[in-house]
DNA sequence: ATGGGCTGTCATATG
DNA sequence: AGCATATGACAGCCC
């Protein structure tokens, strides 16, 4: 019960807010197993954001906070953010759709372009284009439906009364006053407080008899210790659950294994495939970033996998349709069906592709060939710098020179029969799928290294930070403003930063701080105040813990000492309360009013000290080092009650400062967390954009290789002038760029051999 | 009147 | 052990 109660309090609420910002589920298990670095650090151990030294960032960071936690706007800000996150969760699976929609728009013309190419001669292109348009739509609709379901769940969760509330109430409400537990000690002070409170209005009537008077006036105060249950916002969890469910459903529809290997060497393809139908291009190494990039330990791999699954669903539909057109043609007229668009004049009736050099084709695998350039590859400029200029990575990734193994689906390879001669397997269905599988399995590795799939899937909710709902991105110098997402998010950031500016301008730190507070030293012990050393703790009462502009904070010298070097109690004595005369009271004139004012401004401990005739200031009591403090006590003949009070004053005063520091630190931690979240969101958005571009490139290349393979293979003729059966023969690329026509059985063997290699290497 | 935020205080843990 | 500090929890005050 106690631990539950613990979780249901302020800390959890704050973390809930923060977690909800990045879409991380808020149930405790996930909470504790969280692997996301900032959150994990906060929960499981000290972090850079949670260490005390970070507290100084409160004043050191001049880039400012988007919205200050105590600004009036902050509440609305967080609330709005949470709500917006929930709203954003509605199109969780449309995350890539934002990208994919654009992709689809251009997918259609691409299909038509390909289909209209006279030499490509592949009827599948147009049909694949059709499929491509309809397929993803289905996928999107499906995910929308599921998302709607999850939204319903979420709504239910949000409306449902928090169960924990009753628990907490039962747990806390013990039906006993707090004084029961420390009656003897606290009652005295409570009585004193009561007396003082009463006396403050009926003038100071404290008899001044010290402990005896205390003992005579024992009264039980009404301090009951009643508490109120803390309500934990519900709904987040259910949202996460439903989203997770959706993700699982979505993944279940994508029949990809994790251990699939990519058997063939695609770099050979880029070198070998002829370029008849394509104008010269460049970047035969374009594939390498697609594949080597996945080996880098991205934190968002799981999310990418989600995206990949979505993308792949679409790709699968394309491939399926392609395969159907290609390989399930009516048996009656297979040749005319499959090769009808092949050139009527064969290249060579006795063509021997042994040593047939198909060089120059590498240029055709350019993303930027006219056909491809017609596609709005959103930010090819961002893609290019990421392309390592070595093609060996392609070799290592695809690892095989067997085009047949590369292109032909396993089932076709295995069940090749002579009667199905004209059936031409989908060369690139295998290519892309295997590539995807390879990528996904690499992602899995990264995931195993510590990225929680749940987190990733929930992080995906934030993917559409391009929607303008993202966190303020203008603060970070690392913000990549190259993309379309940054511009929209910067608009939101401008509003948030302006609100923070207004909030910080709304209250003036220095004006309030100028009002004197600790009046003891002036009204009672001016001579003591002269020697008083130390930070004026009560001063913060006028600061009201206002953390506006850090630059303003840095202008307050004594606050430089409020930190975790614990030097604040050695602050300049110049800042003692004696040197901070309240201007407003001075202007008021009459000394009675001034005294009255000062009297009201005195803290309870100051009243107590005054009542007990403590001969020195509370500042001294609180801020003197232990040695000096003890020395001071020894100078005076103090009663036991006075000594007790002095020690309590010291304890309370120090604790008060500690509490203030603690709260500052807590806020600072939250701010740091928020900044971390912003950075992560920016990184995530950037990585996802890059991934979408990579996928787009891969898809385009897949289609190109597919068509080129078909074309080359379709033009081959045996000695009798008949086309080769794709079930019996396959094209294979040699390492030197030559292309060989080999029997499928041999090709399959080589493919299997190549498959084993990467697995062994991985082990 | 009331809820939420702020602050002081206590209890307790930790260094 | 004593002290200082950190922090969760609570109550009271104020807006």
């Amino acid at each position: 019960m106690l631990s539950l109660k613990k979780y249901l309090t302020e800390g959890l609420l704050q973390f809930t807010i923060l977690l909800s910002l990045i879409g991380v589920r808020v149930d405790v298990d996930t909470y504790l197993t969280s692997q996301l670095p900032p959150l994990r650090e906060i929960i499981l151990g000290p972090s850079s954001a949670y260490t005390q030294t970070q507290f100084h960032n409160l004043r050191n960071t001049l880039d400012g906070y988007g919205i200050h936690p105590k600004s009036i706007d902050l509440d609305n800000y967080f609330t709005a953010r949470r709500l917006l996150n929930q709203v954003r969760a509605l199109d969780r699976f449309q995350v890539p759709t934002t990208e994919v929609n654009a992709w689809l728009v251009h997918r259609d013309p691409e299909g038509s372009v390909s289909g209209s190419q006279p030499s490509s001669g592949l009827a599948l292109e147009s049909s694949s284009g059709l499929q491509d348009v309809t397929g993803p739509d289905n996928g999107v609709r499906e995910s929308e439906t599921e998302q709607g379901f999850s939204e319903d769940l979420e709504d239910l969760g949000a409306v449902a009364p928090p169960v924990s509330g009753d628990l907490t109430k039962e747990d806390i409400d013990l039906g006993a006053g707090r004084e029961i537990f420390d009656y003897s000690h606290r009652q005295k002070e409570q009585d004193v407080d009561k007396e003082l409170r009463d006396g403050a209005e009926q003038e100071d009537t404290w008899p001044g008899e010290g402990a005896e008077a205390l003992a005579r006036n024992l009264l039980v105060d009404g301090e009951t210790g009643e508490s109120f249950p803390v309500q934990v916002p519900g709904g987040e969890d259910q949202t996460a659950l439903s989203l997770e469910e959706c993700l699982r459903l979505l993944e279940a529809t994508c029949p990809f294994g994790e251990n699939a290997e990519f058997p063939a060497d695609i770099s050979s393809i880029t070198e070998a495939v002829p370029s008849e139908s394509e104008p010269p291009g460049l970047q035969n190494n374009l594939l390498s970033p697609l594949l080597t990039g996945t080996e880098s330990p991205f934190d968002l791999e799981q999310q990418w996998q989600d995206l990949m699954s979505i993308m792949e669903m679409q790709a699968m539909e394309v491939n399926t349709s392609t395969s159907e057109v290609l390989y399930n043609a009516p048996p009656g007229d297979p040749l005319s069906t499959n090769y009808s668009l092949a050139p009527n004049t064969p290249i060579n009736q006795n063509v021997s592709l042994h040593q047939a050099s198909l060089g120059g084709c590498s240029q055709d695998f350019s993303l930027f060939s006219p056909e491809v350039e017609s596609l709005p590859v959103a930010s090819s400029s961002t893609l290019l710098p990421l392309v390592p200029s070595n093609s060996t990575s392609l070799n290592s990734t695809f690892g095989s020179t067997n085009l047949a193994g590369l292109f032909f689906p396993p089932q076709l390879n295995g069940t090749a029969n002579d009667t199905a001669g004209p059936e031409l397997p989908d060369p690139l269905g295998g290519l892309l799928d295997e590539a995807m599988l390879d990528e996904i399995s690499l992602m899995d590795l990264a995931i195993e290294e510590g990225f929680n799939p749940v987190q990733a899937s929930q992080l995906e909710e934030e993917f559409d930070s391009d929607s303008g709902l993202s966190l303020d991105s203008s603060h970070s110098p690392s913000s990549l403003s190259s993309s379309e997402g940054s511009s929209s998010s910067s608009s939101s950031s401008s509003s948030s930063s302006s609100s923070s500016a207004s909030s910080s301008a709304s209250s003036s730190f220095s004006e309030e701080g100028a009002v004197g507070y600790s009046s003891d030293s002036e009204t009672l012990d001016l001579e003591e105040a002269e020697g008083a050393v130390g930070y004026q703790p009560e001063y913060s009462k006028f600061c009201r813990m206002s953390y506006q502009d850090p630059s303003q904070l840095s202008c307050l010298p004594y606050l430089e000492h409020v930190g975790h070097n614990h030097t604040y109690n050695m602050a300049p004595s110049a800042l003692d309360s004696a040197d901070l005369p309240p201007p407003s009271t001075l202007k008021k004139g009459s000394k009675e009013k001034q005294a009255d004012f000062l009297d009201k401004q005195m803290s309870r401990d100051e009243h107590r000290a005054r009542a007990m005739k403590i001969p020195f200031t509370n500042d001294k009591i609180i801020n003197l080092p232990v040695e000096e403090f003890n020395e001071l006590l020894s100078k005076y003949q103090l009663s036991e009650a006075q000594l007790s009070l002095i020690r309590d004053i010291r304890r309370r005063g120090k604790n008060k400062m500690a509490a203030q520091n603690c709260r500052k630190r807590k806020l600072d931690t939250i701010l740091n967390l928020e900044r971390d979240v912003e950075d992560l969101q920016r990184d995530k958005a950037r990585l996802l954009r890059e991934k979408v571009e990579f996928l787009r490139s891969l898809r385009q290349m897949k289609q190109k290789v597919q068509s080129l393979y078909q074309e080359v293979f379709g033009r081959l003729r045996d000695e009798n002038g008949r086309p080769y059966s794709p079930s019996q023969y396959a094209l294979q690329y040699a390492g030197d760029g030559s292309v060989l026509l080999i029997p499928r059985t041999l090709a399959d063997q080589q493919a299997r051999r190549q498959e084993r290699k990467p697995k062994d290497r991985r082990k």
Side-chain angles (χ1 to χ4, degrees):
Chain A
M1 284 298 252
L2 285 177
S3 61
L4 178 62
K5 172 184 168 186
K6 206 174 172 184
Y7 280 122
L8 296 176
T9 46
E10 182 185 16
L12 179 55
L13 286 173
Q14 290 172 342
F15 276 122
T16 301
I17 292 170
L18 286 167
L19 292 171
S20 70
L21 286 179
I22 59 170
V24 175
R25 190 157 76 161
V26 194
D27 73 76
V28 173
D29 290 338
T30 308
Y31 197 63
L32 292 176
T33 59
S34 170
Q35 297 295 318
L36 199 60
L39 301 167
R40 184 188 181 207
E41 285 172 1
I42 288 301
I43 295 161
L44 297 179
S47 73
S48 61
Y50 212 53
T51 49
Q52 298 180 356
T53 51
Q54 286 294 313
F55 172 60
H56 300 290
N57 291 342
L58 183 64
R59 286 169 291 284
N60 293 338
T61 51
L62 293 179
D63 56 343
Y65 311 110
I67 286 185
H68 191 275
K70 292 207 174 185
S71 78
I72 295 170
D73 295 328
L74 185 72
D75 235 11
N76 293 333
Y77 181 64
F78 276 123
T79 305
R81 287 279 299 279
R82 197 164 50 238
L83 292 174
L84 286 173
N85 274 327
Q86 292 175 5
V87 171
R88 220 184 300 171
L90 297 179
D91 59 350
R92 162 91 182 279
F93 289 114
Q94 295 177 9
V95 163
T97 315
T98 308
E99 296 281 345
V100 170
N101 277 340
W103 182 54
L104 293 176
V105 165
H106 302 292
R107 190 57 198 116
D108 209 6
E110 183 194 32
S112 58
V113 168
S114 300
S116 65
Q117 284 180 348
S119 61
S120 65
L122 296 174
L124 66 98
E125 285 289 339
S126 57
S127 63
S128 75
L130 273 175
Q131 277 288 354
D132 202 31
V133 172
T134 56
D137 274 351
N138 293 337
V140 168
R141 233 174 284 126
E142 177 180 317
S143 55
E144 279 176 350
T145 308
E146 291 175 2
Q147 192 55 49
F149 177 65
S150 71
E151 184 195 15
D152 291 340
L153 279 180
E154 182 179 348
D155 287 341
L156 285 172
V159 173
V163 180
S164 54
D166 293 333
L167 267 177
T168 312
K169 190 169 189 174
E170 289 172 10
D171 190 25
I172 293 174
D173 191 354
L174 302 173
R178 294 174 64 193
E179 63 273 15
I180 287 176
F181 302 104
D182 53 353
Y183 181 86
S184 60
H185 172 70
R186 202 181 293 181
Q187 202 167 33
K188 291 182 186 175
E189 289 182 4
Q190 287 169 356
D191 274 349
V192 173
D193 288 347
K194 196 168 185 177
E195 286 284 344
L196 290 174
R197 254 178 257 130
D198 296 339
E201 295 177 358
Q202 317 160 2
E203 308 206 316
D204 199 348
T205 58
W206 182 253
E209 296 173 28
E212 295 170 354
L214 269 173
R216 261 186 270 118
N217 293 304
L218 290 179
L219 289 172
V220 177
D221 206 340
E223 208 171 48
T224 62
E226 283 282 340
S227 306
F228 297 95
V230 178
Q231 294 198 347
V232 176
E236 298 272 355
D237 192 29
Q238 297 201 17
T239 307
L241 254 179
S242 60
L243 291 173
E244 204 180 347
E245 290 283 344
C246 292
L247 182 62
R248 239 180 279 130
L249 283 171
L250 192 57
E251 283 174 343
T253 61
C254 298
F256 299 126
E258 292 187 355
N259 299 323
E261 299 292 336
F262 205 86
D265 184 352
I266 208 163
S267 67
S268 303
I269 303 172
T270 62
E271 295 168 8
V273 176
S275 59
E276 297 169 21
S277 60
E278 300 295 335
L282 59 154
Q283 283 97 13
N284 65 341
N285 52 2
L286 263 176
L287 272 178
S288 57
L290 298 174
L291 298 149
T292 57
T294 61
E295 296 172 6
S296 62
F298 286 136
D299 285 338
L300 302 168
E301 294 292 2
Q302 178 59 42
Q303 185 182 357
W304 282 26
Q305 187 177 356
D306 299 343
L307 180 64
M308 177 75 78
S309 301
I310 297 162
M311 303 285 288
E312 201 49 19
M313 279 177 66
Q314 299 166 349
M316 284 295 290
E317 291 171 67
V318 175
N319 291 333
T320 305
S321 63
T322 302
S323 302
E324 284 172 359
V325 173
L326 262 181
Y327 312 126
N328 300 331
D333 189 13
L335 283 180
S336 62
T337 302
N338 288 311
Y339 306 118
S340 60
L341 293 178
N344 291 329
T345 56
I347 301 172
N348 190 336
Q349 294 289 347
N350 290 321
V351 64
S352 168
L353 278 181
H354 302 262
Q355 301 305 324
S357 175
L358 301 177
C361 60
S362 63
Q363 297 175 343
D364 298 325
F365 281 88
S366 164
L367 270 180
F368 311 105
S369 62
E371 174 188 334
V372 178
E373 275 180 344
S374 69
L375 300 170
V377 178
S379 52
S380 54
S381 58
T382 63
L383 175 62
L384 277 174
L386 292 159
V387 176
S389 56
N390 73 39
S391 59
T392 58
S393 58
L394 286 173
N395 283 318
S396 63
T397 306
F398 286 82
S400 169
T401 57
N402 188 346
L403 260 185
L406 172 68
F407 287 155
F408 288 77
Q411 66 272 18
L412 270 169
N413 288 343
T415 62
N417 62 64
D418 293 347
T419 59
E423 286 187 3
L424 191 58
D426 177 10
L428 283 159
L431 169 66
L432 187 55
D433 293 350
E434 298 286 353
M436 294 291 189
L437 285 169
D438 211 279
E439 187 172 4
I440 288 171
S441 58
L442 284 170
M443 289 178 183
D444 292 338
L445 285 179
I447 292 163
E448 286 169 7
E449 289 175 5
F451 200 76
N452 190 332
V454 176
Q455 292 172 344
S457 64
Q458 287 171 332
L459 275 175
E460 186 175 336
E461 295 175 33
E462 305 291 329
F463 169 48
D464 54 344
S465 58
D466 294 354
S467 63
L469 302 179
S470 66
L471 285 161
D472 187 353
S473 61
S474 62
H475 296 312
S476 170
S478 66
S479 172
L480 297 178
S481 57
S482 61
S483 66
E484 62 278 5
S486 309
S487 59
S488 56
S489 65
S490 65
S491 63
S492 68
S493 72
S494 64
S495 62
S496 63
S497 57
S498 64
S499 63
S500 74
S502 63
S503 69
S504 62
S506 63
S507 64
S508 172
F509 206 126
S510 54
E511 285 174 9
E512 288 187 334
V515 181
Y517 173 61
S518 177
S519 56
D520 272 354
S521 52
E522 291 178 271
T523 58
L524 295 176
D525 284 306
L526 282 173
E527 75 285 359
E528 293 285 345
E530 291 174 6
V533 176
Y535 162 70
Q536 168 52 266
E538 267 66 36
Y539 188 85
S540 63
K541 194 157 193 169
F542 294 94
C543 299
R544 310 293 293 181
M545 294 293 286
S546 302
Y547 315 103
Q548 279 82 17
D549 192 341
S551 60
Q552 289 185 358
L553 282 169
S554 64
C555 295
L556 300 167
Y558 64 91
L559 273 181
E560 294 294 329
H561 303 270
V562 182
H564 302 287
N565 52 11
H566 309 307
T567 58
Y568 51 82
N569 55 352
M570 300 297 289
S573 60
L575 288 158
D576 198 1
S577 57
D579 294 319
L580 292 170
S584 58
T585 45
L586 287 178
K587 288 174 186 172
K588 281 184 180 176
S590 88
K591 287 186 178 180
E592 292 85 12
K593 279 185 180 177
Q594 182 177 343
D596 218 34
F597 176 84
L598 294 173
D599 208 48
K600 285 176 182 172
Q601 293 300 312
M602 282 165 62
S603 69
R604 279 185 279 174
D605 273 340
E606 282 162 342
H607 280 289
R608 291 186 193 119
R610 187 180 173 184
M612 297 281 281
K613 297 198 182 309
I614 305 297
F616 29 80
T617 64
N618 282 23
D619 302 327
K620 276 192 170 183
I621 293 172
I622 294 168
N623 296 314
L624 278 180
V626 192
E627 295 84 9
E628 295 180 42
F629 175 67
N630 290 331
E631 206 175 318
L632 184 67
L633 292 185
S634 64
K635 284 181 187 171
Y636 297 86
Q637 280 296 102
L638 298 169
S639 69
E640 198 55 38
Q642 281 175 315
L643 286 173
S644 175
L645 177 62
I646 287 170
R647 292 203 180 88
D648 283 343
I649 287 171
R650 183 175 174 87
R651 176 178 49 80
R652 280 193 288 262
K654 286 196 175 298
N655 189 249
K656 189 167 85 177
M657 289 187 293
Q660 290 166 353
N661 290 331
C662 186
R663 284 166 179 144
K664 281 180 189 173
R665 208 158 32 241
K666 205 183 280 183
L667 276 175
D668 198 50
T669 300
I670 292 173
L671 290 172
N672 283 330
L673 266 177
E674 190 177 9
R675 268 197 296 273
D676 289 344
V677 169
E678 291 172 16
D679 292 342
L680 285 174
Q681 285 179 329
R682 269 191 295 272
D683 290 346
K684 183 181 67 178
R686 176 178 52 80
L687 292 172
L688 283 172
R689 278 194 296 272
E690 290 173 6
K691 183 180 178 61
V692 168
E693 287 162 12
F694 290 156
L695 290 174
R696 199 181 297 146
S697 303
L698 185 60
R699 183 187 177 86
Q700 289 165 356
M701 281 181 280
K702 167 198 158 185
Q703 290 168 349
K704 200 159 282 182
V705 173
Q706 175 184 342
S707 62
L708 289 170
Y709 182 94
Q710 307 270 346
E711 185 175 342
V712 169
F713 195 90
R715 290 188 186 196
L716 297 181
R717 296 293 182 271
D718 60 11
E719 297 81 359
N720 301 324
R722 291 181 306 204
Y724 287 97
S725 164
S727 61
Q728 290 177 321
Y729 293 95
L731 291 180
Q732 186 192 47
Y733 292 99
D736 59 359
S738 59
V739 177
L740 306 177
L741 182 68
I742 62 173
R744 284 208 67 88
T745 52
L746 185 59
D748 292 342
Q749 287 175 6
Q750 292 185 359
R752 273 192 288 275
R753 235 177 287 134
Q754 293 288 346
E755 264 180 34
R756 270 181 234 120
K757 279 185 184 177
K759 283 182 180 175
D760 294 342
R761 230 180 290 138
R762 193 168 288 178
K763 288 173 186 172

